[in-house]
């Protein structure tokens, strides 16, 4: 005990603040102190020895024309890049053991469980219970934490500490969802627009988007082989579970060639496959059904990741739920998969306001997305449904600013915005875009984004980071999708719909490359910005947000323009050209 007291005093005298929030994040309120025995589980991200070398290697293997293009790494090769030094592992382990904590070390991550009292001493802080006004369970968090000076060169972050987030850990990017009257068992036939395939054939889409409409619009005719190597996946959070019965109804109705096909589920961090859940299932059903709709008969996998599991109850806190980190848990699980079990394409339709994420957390998880790219995985994220932003208030100074989204702002994921209509497609008003506050603009974007910024001169210049990674990269239809949910035909809108559409297209491209003996596309973005002719430029419509802010009148708008723009990116896919570029010689049939 004396050793702990001495160490605590020394830590307090020589501690360096790793992260500090000036106030409780908006929407959150402190609801009580932690009891001394409340369990706390934390993860320490150790400093990687070769982080810059890994980033350079990933860019090289992802850039067409480079000698290393397509030379993806194995799991062990990536771990060699991300490994910390032996000194880092040793000094952190000794620090924890001095407090009676026995850590679990896995390459560059150290995990441990302790009590709130010990965590307070360890990090020179005070954990408390906080509640989000929008719902979800209370979280055990702190507004700042410190570590001894001699550990600062060895540790990137310790979380969950200052990571509050919203409503659990993520927010689905469904913008709107409602049931369709379906008394006669038919999709409504009123025509709101007609899709025209590139061959000139008009296809009636009606008032509802379906897989056949999307495939005609983007000229997707290629059918890939149903093999495990070609599987396409999506991530589910917030206790949402795709339903087998709804999947079957959707296949029978809209993808009859896939009738009888099902999806598989892998459980992570206490995630479930609850087919009788009374909770929302719209997001998960949307993802599963439109991956099938575009990419059938490719195998579809759902990764159901828990993130708000119950805390082990104590006498002082018998009912408060615990808190953990779904992205970290999900990414750790994925990166630990054997090479042959990784899907080549993953779609995720969740996100948060970037400023709600500690910078250290955003950078560390972006590094983990980069590691997936190093292993040949294409990671797709929805860009969000708030245009330039919702409240548009910067937390640090309460000034007006545009709100980019996370993880879409990570330069190692592909961000997808939303469109509506045809002849021409136009930006849909909810489609999010903008410029990251944490990530600088990558080289693959500089030419097209610089042209855009020159075109708008100093418009909105004080409200966004002109040097930031630009969002989104591409776009796809995102409004009025027919989805079966709990046995009813529903209509859903959001970049939640756009992401699986584009992911399905990428999955087909990866499958086509396999037939030619080529590696998967992996990290997509350098390739995408090298084949801009494979996208239909969207030049009308806008993404609106910041409603009611006096700075903008009625609202702020990112307008769709010629070339890249922060609402539709490069535009919508021309599949036959993408196929020709990705897998020359493979027919679109």
């Amino acid at each position: 005990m004396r050793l702990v007291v001495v160490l605590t005093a020394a830590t307090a005298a020589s501690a360096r603040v790793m992260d500090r929030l000036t106030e409780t994040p908006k929407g959150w309120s402190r609801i009580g102190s932690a009891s001394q025995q409340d369990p706390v589980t934390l993860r320490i991200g150790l400093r990687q020895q070769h982080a810059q070398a890994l980033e350079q290697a990933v860019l090289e293997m992802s850039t067409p024309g480079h000698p290393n293009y397509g030379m993806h790494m194995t799991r062990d090769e990536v771990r060699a890049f991300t490994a910390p030094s032996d000194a880092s592992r040793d000094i952190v382990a000794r620090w924890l053991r001095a407090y009676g904590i026995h850590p679990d070390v896995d390459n560059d991550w150290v995990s441990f469980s302790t009590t709130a009292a010990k965590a307070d001493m360890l990090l020179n802080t005070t954990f408390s219970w906080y509640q989000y006004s929008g719902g979800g369970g209370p979280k055990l968090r702190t507004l700042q934490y410190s570590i001894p000076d001699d550990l600062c060169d060895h540790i990137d972050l310790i979380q969950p500490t200052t990571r509050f987030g919203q409503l659990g850990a993520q927010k689905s990017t469904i913008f709107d969802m409602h049931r369709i009257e379906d008394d006669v068992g038919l999709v409504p036939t009123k025509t709101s627009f007609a899709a025209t395939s590139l061959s000139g054939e008009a296809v009636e889409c009606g008032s509802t988007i379906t897989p056949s409409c999307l495939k005609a619009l983007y000229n997707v005719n290629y059918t890939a082989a149903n093999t495990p190597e070609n599987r396409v996946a999506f991530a589910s959070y917030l206790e949402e579970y795709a339903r087998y019965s709804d999947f079957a109804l959707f296949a029978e109705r809209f993808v009859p060639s896939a009738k009888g096909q099902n999806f598989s589920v892998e459980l992570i961090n206490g995630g479930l496959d609850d087919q009788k859940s009374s909770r929302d299932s719209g997001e998960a059903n949307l993802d599963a059904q439109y991956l099938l709709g575009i990419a059938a008969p490719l195998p579809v996998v759902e990764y159901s990741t828990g993130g708000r599991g119950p805390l082990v109850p104590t006498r002082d806190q018998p009912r408060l739920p615990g808190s953990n980190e779904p992205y970290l848990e999900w990414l750790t699980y994925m990166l630990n998969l054997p090479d042959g079990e990784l899907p080549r394409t993953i779609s995720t339709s969740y996100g948060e306001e970037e400023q709600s994420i500690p910078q250290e957390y955003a950078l560390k998880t972006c590094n983990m997305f980069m590691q997936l790219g190093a292993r040949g995985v294409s990671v797709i994220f929805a860009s969000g449904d708030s245009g330039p932003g919702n409240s548009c208030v910067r937390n640090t100074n309460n000034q007006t600013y545009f709100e980019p989204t996370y993880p879409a702002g990570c330069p190692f994921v592909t961000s997808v915005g939303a469109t509506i209509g045809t002849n021409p497609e136009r930006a849909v008003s909810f489609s999010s875009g903008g410029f990251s506050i944490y990530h600088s603009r990558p080289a693959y974007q500089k030419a097209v984004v610089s042209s855009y910024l020159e075109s708008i001169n100093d418009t909105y210049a004080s409200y966004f980071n002109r040097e930031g990674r630009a969002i989104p990269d591409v776009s796809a239809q995102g409004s009025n999708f027919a989805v079966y949910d709990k046995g009813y035909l529903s209509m859903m809108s959001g970049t939640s719909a756009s992401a699986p559409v584009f992911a399905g297209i990428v999955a087909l491209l990866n499958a086509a490359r396999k037939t030619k003996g080529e590696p998967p596309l992996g990290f997509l973005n350098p390739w995408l910005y090298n084949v801009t002719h494979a996208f239909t430029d969207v030049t009308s419509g806008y993404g609106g947000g910041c409603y009611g802010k006096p700075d903008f009148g009625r609202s702020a708008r990112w307008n769709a323009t010629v070339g890249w723009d922060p609402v539709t990116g490069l535009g919508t896919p021309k599949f036959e050209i993408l196929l020709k570029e990705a897998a020359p010689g493979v027919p679109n049939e």
Side-chain angles (χ1 to χ4, degrees):
M1 178 63 69
R2 180 175 176 79
L3 177 62
V4 172
V5 172
V6 171
L7 284 173
T8 302
T11 299
S14 60
R16 182 182 303 179
V17 175
M18 288 288 286
D19 192 31
R20 174 190 287 125
L21 304 180
T22 57
E23 59 185 13
T24 302
K26 64 182 179 183
W28 290 88
S29 59
R30 183 180 181 277
I31 60 173
S33 301
S35 72
Q36 288 195 342
Q37 295 304 311
D38 278 339
V40 177
T41 297
L42 297 172
R43 303 187 74 200
I44 300 174
L46 300 179
R47 187 73 47 83
Q48 299 172 0
Q49 291 188 88
H50 308 296
Q52 290 185 337
L54 176 60
E55 180 172 341
Q56 182 61 36
V58 172
L59 290 172
E60 290 175 355
M61 70 179 66
S62 306
T63 301
H66 193 280
N68 293 338
Y69 181 65
M71 298 179 65
H72 301 121
M73 298 181 184
T74 65
R75 178 180 61 183
D76 291 342
E77 287 171 339
V78 170
R79 285 173 67 88
F81 273 92
T82 61
S85 67
D86 290 340
S88 292
R89 277 191 290 257
D90 291 345
I91 193 171
V92 170
R94 286 199 305 270
W95 174 53
L96 296 174
R97 285 196 295 267
Y99 285 83
I101 296 170
H102 301 283
D104 178 22
V105 181
D106 181 13
N107 204 42
D108 57 329
W109 288 100
V110 177
S111 303
F112 64 94
S113 296
T114 186
T115 63
K118 279 191 177 182
D120 286 351
M121 289 193 297
L122 185 74
L123 303 179
N124 193 29
T125 190
T126 302
F127 278 89
S128 299
W129 287 101
Y130 293 85
Q131 175 70 55
Y132 183 56
S133 60
K139 288 186 175 183
L140 202 58
R141 293 292 187 268
T142 182
L143 298 184
Q144 74 172 52
Y145 70 97
S146 305
I147 62 173
D149 283 341
D150 59 354
L151 295 180
C152 292
D153 291 337
H154 304 280
I155 292 177
D156 284 333
L157 85 169
I158 303 176
Q159 290 292 348
T161 47
T162 54
R163 160 109 166 92
F164 281 76
Q166 295 179 2
L167 194 57
Q170 292 82 25
K171 183 180 179 183
S172 163
T173 54
I174 285 181
F175 177 74
D176 180 61
M177 172 180 171
H178 61 273
R179 288 180 180 174
I180 299 174
E181 292 297 331
D182 193 23
D183 295 337
V184 295
L186 296 173
V187 175
T189 57
K190 179 182 177 182
T191 301
S192 59
F193 58 84
T196 303
S197 70
L198 296 185
S199 65
E201 177 186 359
V203 178
E204 298 296 328
C205 288
S207 60
T208 307
I209 295 294
T210 64
S212 60
C213 167
L214 290 167
K215 294 180 78 168
L217 181 62
Y218 299 136
N219 203 24
V220 180
N221 298 313
Y222 177 69
T223 301
N226 181 358
T227 64
E229 296 82 3
N230 288 337
R231 58 187 172 273
V232 58
F234 66 100
S236 289
Y237 301 98
L238 301 181
E239 296 89 53
E240 287 211 21
Y241 317 109
R243 295 173 180 266
Y244 305 132
S245 57
D246 290 328
F247 193 79
L249 286 170
F250 185 84
E252 182 176 6
R253 181 77 159 277
F254 298 116
V255 197
S257 63
K259 185 177 179 180
Q261 182 174 338
N262 206 346
F263 62 92
S264 59
V265 181
E266 293 192 28
L267 308 180
I268 304 170
N269 191 41
L272 301 175
D273 180 20
D274 186 354
Q275 294 295 306
K276 296 182 180 180
S277 172
S278 61
R279 301 181 64 89
D280 291 341
S281 53
E283 175 62 66
N285 279 329
L286 170 61
D287 292 338
Q289 290 169 27
Y290 276 85
L291 287 178
L292 177 77
I294 297 298
L298 299 190
V300 177
V301 181
E302 176 186 21
Y303 291 102
S304 177
T305 305
R308 299 187 300 182
L311 180 73
V312 177
T314 69
R315 181 173 299 176
D316 294 328
Q317 298 284 359
R319 291 186 300 277
L320 285 177
S323 53
N324 37 36
E325 295 294 320
Y327 277 132
L328 283 183
E329 299 292 348
W330 178 72
L331 283 164
T332 300
Y333 178 89
M334 299 302 296
L335 290 170
N336 280 333
L337 285 175
D339 298 319
E341 295 181 18
L342 265 180
R344 295 310 181 194
T345 312
I346 304 174
S347 180
T348 308
S349 291
Y350 290 80
E352 306 173 59
E353 186 182 337
E354 192 176 47
Q355 71 168 344
S356 73
I357 309 301
Q359 183 174 10
E360 59 179 17
Y361 183 95
L363 296 177
K364 192 70 173 182
T365 51
C366 187
N367 175 278
M368 298 173 81
F369 287 122
M370 179 180 68
Q371 293 174 48
L372 283 174
R375 293 181 63 188
V377 180
S378 301
V379 183
I380 316 296
F381 268 90
S383 72
D385 296 339
S386 57
N390 283 317
S391 65
C392 297
V393 176
R394 185 183 286 112
N395 286 346
T396 54
N397 59 10
N398 290 321
Q399 298 299 305
T400 300
Y401 101 120
F402 291 162
E403 300 167 339
T405 55
Y406 162 89
C410 171
F412 290 96
V413 307
T414 299
S415 172
V416 186
T419 61
I420 190 172
T422 63
N423 299 323
E425 287 184 84
R426 62 188 187 275
V428 69
S429 61
F430 56 74
S431 183
S432 284
F435 299 82
S436 172
I437 60 175
Y438 293 147
H439 303 282
S440 60
R441 182 144 55 253
Y444 60 75
Q445 278 194 320
K446 286 186 177 178
V448 295
V449 176
S450 294
S451 295
Y452 170 79
L453 292 174
E454 289 174 6
S455 73
I456 66 170
N457 296 314
D458 61 352
T459 303
Y460 295 146
S462 63
Y463 302 119
F464 68 94
N465 175 21
R466 291 177 68 91
E467 304 301 320
R469 182 272 204 266
I471 311 165
D473 299 297
V474 296
S475 53
Q477 287 282 316
S479 188
N480 302 332
F481 276 53
V483 178
Y484 272 100
D485 187 56
K486 298 181 181 176
Y488 290 91
L489 188 62
S490 299
M491 186 179 290
M492 299 187 191
S493 299
T495 54
S496 276
S498 310
V501 169
F502 191 75
I505 285 173
V506 173
L508 291 175
L509 298 177
N510 279 329
R513 286 176 64 82
K514 186 171 179 58
T515 68
K516 305 291 289 185
E518 296 292 336
L521 290 166
F523 169 44
L524 284 171
N525 294 359
W527 180 74
L528 294 176
Y529 285 85
N530 196 57
V531 292
T532 57
H533 60 287
F535 293 89
T536 299
D537 191 11
V538 179
T539 59
S540 61
Y542 65 89
C546 307
Y547 293 101
K549 294 289 291 183
D551 310 68
F552 311 115
R554 183 173 179 273
S555 69
R557 295 183 176 185
W558 290 125
N559 292 315
T561 64
V562 174
W564 181 93
D565 56 68
V567 60
T568 63
L570 297 173
T572 57
K574 300 176 182 178
F575 180 78
E576 79 292 350
I577 300 179
L578 288 169
L579 182 64
K580 182 179 179 180
E581 293 288 349
V586 175
N588 185 21
E589 60 186 32

